[in-house]
Amino acid sequence: SFPLLRGQGHLRNSKILTRRFSSHTAHSREDTGFFTPFWRNTILLSFAAVAFYKWAPRPGEEAFLTKWLAHHSTSPEFWTSVNEQQLTRSQHMTVNTVLQTSAQRPGMVRYRYPQMLEQGSPHLQPVGVASPVGKESE
C-alpha cells in the first residue's frame, strides 16, 4: 500500500508544479501603445516640470515656501544655546573620564619590622611613663 501512496503524492506535486509554470508563461500583451501607465506618468511629469518652470520664483525673489519654512522653523539662537549646553556637558564628561583613567592607588608604606608598631600602643606603656594630658595635669 505504501508505493501507491507515494505515487499519488508525486502525481499531486507534479500537477502543482505544472500549474505554477503554466500560469507564468501565458502573459497577455494587450497594454501596448501610448495608453500605458509609463506614458501617462511621463506626460504628467512633463506637465509638472513645465508648471514649475513657469511659476517658480526668480533667483532673487523670496519664495512663499521659503517664507513659510523660516516662520515655522526653530530660531538659530535656540540651536546655538542647545549646542553650547551639549559642548559644556561633553567637556565635563571628558574631564571626568580623564580623571578616572589617570587615577592611581595611593602608595603603600610597607614596614620592614611590623613589631615596631606595637611600641606605640598605649596598652604596652608602663604606669607613669606616659605624660598626662588634659586639665587635670595643670
Side-chain angles (χ1 to χ4, degrees):
S1 72
F2 290 118
L4 290 176
L5 290 177
R6 272 188 257 148
Q8 289 175 355
H10 177 67
L11 183 63
R12 185 172 8 113
N13 289 339
S14 65
K15 285 181 183 179
I16 291 172
L17 289 175
T18 55
R19 189 178 323 135
R20 283 185 190 161
F21 288 126
S22 65
S23 65
H24 288 296
T25 56
H27 289 285
S28 63
R29 293 288 180 186
E30 297 172 8
D31 53 347
T32 57
F34 289 107
F35 299 107
T36 60
F38 169 76
W39 287 110
R40 180 196 63 212
N41 293 341
T42 303
I43 290 171
L44 290 176
L45 186 63
S46 63
F47 281 144
V50 167
F52 177 77
Y53 182 75
K54 184 174 182 176
W55 288 294
R58 303 285 179 254
E61 287 181 333
E62 188 72 30
F64 172 75
L65 181 62
T66 307
K67 291 178 188 175
W68 184 81
L69 286 174
H71 177 69
H72 289 291
S73 64
T74 310
S75 67
E77 292 83 19
F78 172 76
W79 290 116
T80 303
S81 68
V82 168
N83 288 340
E84 287 175 356
Q85 290 174 0
Q86 179 63 26
L87 179 64
T88 305
R89 280 190 233 121
S90 152
Q91 287 175 342
H92 184 67
M93 291 298 292
T94 304
V95 167
N96 286 344
T97 304
V98 168
L99 179 67
Q100 289 178 358
T101 56
S102 65
Q104 295 178 355
R105 288 185 165 192
M108 292 183 67
V109 178
R110 296 191 184 266
Y111 290 106
R112 181 171 234 167
Y113 303 108
Q115 56 270 41
M116 296 287 290
L117 294 174
E118 295 175 359
Q119 290 181 357
S121 173
H123 301 290
L124 296 177
Q125 301 296 328
V127 178
V129 175
S131 60
V133 184
K135 290 184 178 180
E136 297 170 359
S137 64
E138 294 177 0

